[in-house]
Amino acid sequence: MEPSFHSIEWVFLGILVSIFLYALLTNAISKTILTLPIIFMVVGHVSSHPLGMLAEPEVLDVGKRLLAEVTLILVLFSDASRVQFKSLRMNFAVPLRMLIVGLPLTIGLGMIVALLLNPGAGFAMALLTAAVLTPTDAALGQTVLSSEDVPENLRQTINVESGLNDGLVLPFVLFGAILAATGIEGAQSHGLAFAATTQVVLGPLIGIALGWGFAKAMDVARSRGLMAEASGGVAFLTIAFSAYVTSELLGGNGFLAAFVAGMVFGNTYKHDIHFIGEFMEGVGQLLTMLAFLIFGALLLPLGLKHMTWNAVALAISFLTIVRMLPIWLSLTGSGLAAREKLFLGWFGPRGLASILFTLIMMDEFDFPGEEELLACVCMTVFLSIILHGISAAPLSKWIGSASQTPSKPIGESND
C-alpha cells in the first residue's frame, strides 16, 4: 500500500528531528562510536520505502544527480582551496607520498583485484571500479581529525590526502567510464575518447583562469573596502559554480574545473579564506547529511538487491590490502613508525566521493555491469561507514598513547 500524504509528512518530520537532535548532541555523539554517516545512513534506510514512493524513479534519479553534483562541486572546491602550495612544499612530504605514489598504486592494485574477482568484466570496468573506490572521505574520518589523541602530523596528513585525492582521481574515473562505455556495441569510441581528452585538458585550464580571476577581483574589492567580509560565502558559491558551469559550456569537465579553481583561488587570494570553511561547516554538513541519507534510502537497497559474494570480497579487499599495502609502500623511508603507517593505511574511509562519482558516471554514460558496480560501491561504503566509524575512537586513543614513545626523525627509516 502506498504511503499517504500524512505518512510522508511524518517521515519528513522525523528526518528534520533527526537533523536537529544531531546538531543538539554533536559533542556527546563525538564521544561514542556513532558518526554522522552512520546515523543518517540508518535514518535513510529506515525511511527508504516512503521516500522511494515520493515520485517516479526517473524524477528521483534527477534529484539524486542534482544533489550529487552540488555536493561534489562544493566539496572539491573547498577542499582544494585549503591546500597551500608553500606549506605543501615544506611540511607535506608524507601526504604527497600518499598522493603521488600511493594513489596510483592503489588504483593499479585495485584493478588487478577487480579483474581477479570478476575477469569477465574487462579492463575498463576494473579501472572504473578501482578509480571510484580509491578516494577517501574526511567526513567518515571526522572523529580522527578532531581527536586530540591523534598526533597533529597524522591528522594533517589524513586531512590533506582526503582533500586532494578525490580531485586527482577524477581523470581515472572519467577515462574508466569512457572506456567502459565504448565497450557497448555501436558506441563511437573515437568521439568519446576525444571528448574525454578535451574535458581533462579544458577543465583545469578554465579552473586556473577563473580561480585566478575571481581571486584578483576579490582582492581589489577587499583592499578598497568595496566588499563586506560577510559576503565571502556568497562569493565562494559563485566561484565554485561558475567554474563548473563555464567548463561544461565550453566542453571541459566541470568537476576538474571546480577542483583546480579552488586550488588556484586559495593560493592567489591574499586575504583570509576562513569564510569557505565556515560555510562548509554549516551548509556543507547539511549536504553531507542529505547525501548519506539518500545513500541509505535509495542507493543501499538497490545495491543490496544486486549484491554478490564477489562484491563483498571486493569491498573487504579495497578497505584492507588494496588501500593499506600501497600506503605502506608509499611511506617507506618516510621515518614514520610501523603503527603510524598502519593507522594512515586503515583510515582511508570510502564515502561521499565514491557515492557521487558512481551516481554521476552511471547517469552520464551507459556501460555494462552498472548493477555490479553499484553493488560494489554500496557494500564498500556501507562497510566503511560501520568499520571506520566504530574503530575511530579506540584506534585514536591507541595511536595517541603509542605515539608517546618518541619516533625517529623524518628521513630516518623505521622499516
Side-chain angles (χ1 to χ4, degrees):
M1 185 175 70
E2 293 188 4
S4 68
F5 177 71
H6 291 293
S7 68
I8 292 174
E9 285 184 327
W10 280 110
V11 170
F12 276 123
L13 180 60
I15 292 172
L16 292 173
V17 170
S18 299
I19 294 173
F20 176 75
L21 287 175
Y22 178 83
L24 198 68
L25 303 172
T26 305
N27 285 336
I29 291 172
S30 66
K31 299 174 183 177
T32 70
I33 62 172
L34 296 177
T35 62
L36 182 152
I38 290 177
I39 292 170
F40 287 95
M41 178 186 69
V42 171
V43 170
H45 198 61
V46 169
S47 55
S48 60
H49 180 66
L51 287 179
M53 301 296 290
L54 279 177
E56 295 297 321
E58 294 79 10
V59 177
L60 291 175
D61 287 342
V62 172
K64 287 187 293 185
R65 169 71 184 262
L66 180 61
L67 175 64
E69 288 186 337
V70 169
T71 305
L72 189 55
I73 291 166
L74 295 180
V75 167
L76 287 171
F77 187 96
S78 63
D79 285 350
S81 69
R82 291 196 289 267
V83 177
Q84 300 298 306
F85 292 149
K86 292 180 180 178
S87 298
L88 200 62
R89 288 196 301 267
M90 293 184 294
N91 304 319
F92 289 8
V94 172
L96 279 178
R97 282 169 171 262
M98 295 170 69
L99 290 166
I100 295 173
V101 180
L103 187 146
L105 286 177
T106 300
I107 294 176
L109 181 57
M111 287 175 57
I112 294 172
V113 171
L115 282 171
L116 289 174
L117 289 174
N118 191 8
F123 169 84
M125 282 305 297
L127 172 60
L128 179 58
T129 302
V132 298
L133 290 177
T134 291
T136 58
D137 186 358
L140 284 174
Q142 196 56 47
T143 301
V144 173
L145 294 177
S146 60
S147 173
E148 295 183 359
D149 293 320
V150 181
E152 174 64 24
N153 68 313
L154 298 185
R155 281 186 283 162
Q156 186 182 61
T157 295
I158 293 172
N159 195 34
V160 172
E161 188 214 3
S162 63
L164 288 177
N165 62 12
D166 44 7
L168 296 176
V169 84
L170 252 174
F172 296 97
V173 173
L174 186 61
F175 277 116
I178 292 289
L179 290 173
T182 60
I184 297 178
E185 187 176 351
Q188 299 297 317
S189 59
H190 177 73
L192 285 173
F194 177 77
T197 304
T198 302
Q199 287 190 42
V200 171
V201 173
L202 269 183
L205 291 177
I206 293 168
I208 291 171
L210 292 185
W212 183 87
F214 276 111
K216 290 298 183 181
M218 287 178 62
D219 275 332
V220 171
R222 285 292 305 276
S223 299
R224 297 182 179 180
L226 302 175
M227 177 182 173
E229 187 177 355
S231 61
V234 176
F236 157 57
L237 286 176
T238 303
I239 302 166
F241 288 116
S242 293
Y244 175 83
V245 173
T246 303
S247 184
E248 291 291 318
L249 287 173
L250 297 179
N253 183 273
F255 299 110
L256 279 173
F259 178 74
V260 174
M263 190 172 293
V264 173
F265 177 84
N267 285 275
T268 304
Y269 188 54
K270 296 178 181 178
H271 297 80
D272 199 331
I273 61 168
H274 65 274
F275 55 84
I276 295 180
E278 291 174 356
F279 183 92
M280 290 302 290
E281 285 178 5
V283 175
Q285 189 176 60
L286 181 60
L287 287 173
T288 301
M289 292 176 182
L290 293 176
F292 282 107
L293 189 145
I294 293 298
F295 170 73
L298 303 179
L299 289 179
L300 186 57
L302 194 58
L304 292 174
K305 181 180 178 182
H306 300 286
M307 194 59 59
T308 64
W309 285 112
N310 272 357
V312 176
L314 190 74
I316 295 172
S317 299
F318 266 87
L319 294 178
T320 53
I321 186 67
V322 173
R323 160 71 183 183
M324 299 178 76
L325 179 58
I327 293 301
W328 180 283
L329 292 175
S330 71
L331 296 177
T332 300
S334 65
L336 292 177
R339 62 178 179 273
E340 293 172 319
K341 296 177 188 177
L342 290 172
F343 186 82
L344 291 173
W346 172 245
F347 280 106
R350 311 310 201 280
L352 207 54
S354 296
I355 297 168
L356 301 180
F357 284 150
T358 304
L359 275 177
I360 293 167
M361 291 304 112
M362 286 177 62
D363 189 67
E364 191 79 21
F365 301 98
D366 290 319
F367 46 79
E370 289 186 358
E371 293 82 5
E372 290 82 358
L373 175 64
L374 182 61
C376 290
V377 172
C378 286
M379 179 52 64
T380 305
V381 173
F382 171 75
L383 289 177
S384 183
I385 289 173
I386 301 300
L387 297 177
H388 288 109
I390 63 177
S391 65
L395 288 183
S396 294
K397 292 183 181 299
W398 169 74
I399 196 68
S401 59
S403 296
Q404 298 301 317
T405 303
S407 302
K408 294 183 178 180
I410 295 293
E412 184 180 343
S413 177
N414 234 350
D415 300 315

